[in-house]
Amino acid sequence: MHIITLTSDWNESDYYVASLKGKLLSTCPDARIVDINHNVKQFNTAQAAFVVRNSYPDFPENTIHIIAVNSEPEEGEQLLAARINNQYFLCADNGMLGLLGGPDPELVIKINKTTEQQSTSFISMSIFTEIACALSTGTPLKKLGTPTTDYNKQVPLRATIEDHTITGSVIFIDSYDNAITNISRDLFNRVGNGKPFMIYVQSKHYVVDRINIRYNESPPGELLAIFNAVGLLEIAIRNGNAAGLLKLNTSSTIRVEFKEG
């Protein structure tokens, strides 16, 4: 039994998710279908990549991930299937494979489309379900399309280092309105090396000078910083909504300055 996960920007209030699941269950009834997220902001490839990047490592080997976000390709553009970290990913050639981070794919194929598949307005469902079910029944990836190295190789936005300062960005707002940044615990420890620091949020309007281990170390309503479960610096308000109250979004800058000496 293979697991097939679904990530989309379709919103479950529409019929698209149910239709996709129905097609999968009809084509490969032994597959186990798991929803990752269907509330990705429309066409937001970076947000989808963040969600999948931080969830797929917990799935078993050979899990098949359908990423149906910004997945209707322009004329002449390709749909891809790849094997990364012993798992499979199906997506459009929209930068998703690079944005997943981690090691380079072991193999990427350009999915061959039939004339009938090309004529449908729901091309991601008709093609991805077929490929996912073929993989789940043991068909080798290389037999499902044409191997390629010519695809969009975007990379995740990285924090920058200058002197004793890390400049990062908010890359995700979670359902609690916590602002997750691209500053990792490893980078923070390597640059800071145990020195005192100040974390500036929205220029110098808001300042944090300590890292929480748990949210409840701070009193309700207080601004805090914490390294979350995936090791990224997060700006939050205890029992509050940091992003909304501080007007943070995925273009906001977070700066960490370490004191010398």
Side-chain angles (χ1 to χ4, degrees):
M1 180 186 295
H2 276 72
I3 296 171
I4 300 175
T5 78
L6 308 177
T7 302
S8 78
D9 55 1
W10 292 341
N11 194 319
E12 290 184 290
S13 64
D14 290 320
Y15 68 88
Y16 308 125
V17 176
S19 182
L20 176 62
K21 289 182 178 180
K23 182 70 177 290
L24 285 168
L25 291 171
S26 297
T27 308
C28 45
D30 291 333
R32 182 179 178 186
I33 302 171
V34 177
D35 296 294
I36 291 182
N37 192 320
H38 297 294
N39 294 308
V40 173
K41 189 175 180 180
Q42 286 81 0
F43 313 114
N44 195 322
T45 304
Q47 183 186 7
F50 178 88
V51 170
V52 176
R53 179 170 75 240
N54 289 294
S55 57
Y56 90 77
D58 295 316
F59 282 87
E61 287 189 1
N62 297 317
T63 296
I64 301 156
H65 303 279
I66 295 177
I67 310 174
V69 174
N70 196 20
S71 57
E72 302 300 314
E74 299 290 339
E75 185 69 29
E77 293 187 0
Q78 54 194 1
L79 295 175
L80 304 173
R83 185 167 173 83
I84 306 172
N85 269 345
N86 298 317
Q87 300 191 42
Y88 297 99
F89 299 85
L90 314 183
C91 60
D93 187 12
N94 53 21
M96 181 66 68
L97 292 184
L99 291 171
L100 289 174
D104 290 335
E106 301 156 42
L107 175 64
V108 180
I109 65 160
K110 175 183 176 181
I111 299 172
N112 298 328
K113 301 184 288 290
T114 66
T115 302
E116 181 180 351
Q117 288 171 329
Q118 289 174 330
S119 66
T120 178
S121 62
F122 209 169
I123 192 170
S124 61
M125 187 188 79
S126 62
I127 294 175
F128 288 160
T129 53
E130 180 180 309
I131 298 298
C133 287
L135 289 169
S136 74
T137 55
T139 303
L141 179 60
K142 62 184 178 182
K143 291 189 176 181
L144 297 173
T146 306
T148 183
T149 58
D150 183 18
Y151 59 91
N152 188 335
K153 298 181 176 69
Q154 277 184 257
V155 295
L157 183 66
R158 293 187 173 93
T160 60
I161 306 167
E162 185 175 354
D163 296 328
H164 301 280
T165 300
I166 301 173
T167 302
S169 300
V170 175
I171 56 173
F172 190 80
I173 307 294
D174 73 9
S175 56
Y176 290 92
D177 243 13
N178 299 326
I180 299 172
T181 78
N182 59 354
I183 300 173
S184 70
R185 186 198 304 269
D186 289 344
L187 179 65
F188 185 97
N189 290 340
R190 175 163 55 85
V191 176
N193 196 26
K195 298 173 184 174
F197 59 86
M198 304 292 278
I199 301 172
Y200 295 104
V201 182
Q202 291 291 49
S203 185
K204 292 192 175 182
H205 287 102
Y206 307 98
V207 183
V208 183
D209 62 1
R210 65 185 290 265
I211 301 290
N212 281 30
I213 296 175
R214 297 180 301 277
Y215 294 99
N216 62 11
E217 291 176 8
S218 298
E222 183 173 292
L223 182 67
L224 64 94
I226 191 170
F227 284 107
N228 63 16
V230 295
L232 295 176
L233 183 68
E234 180 178 301
I235 304 300
I237 291 177
R238 166 83 188 279
N239 295 353
N241 308 102
L245 291 172
L246 306 185
K247 296 181 171 57
L248 298 171
N249 55 48
T250 52
S251 63
S252 297
T253 297
I254 305 296
R255 196 170 76 258
V256 184
E257 294 184 3
F258 295 96
K259 299 179 181 178
E260 297 185 52

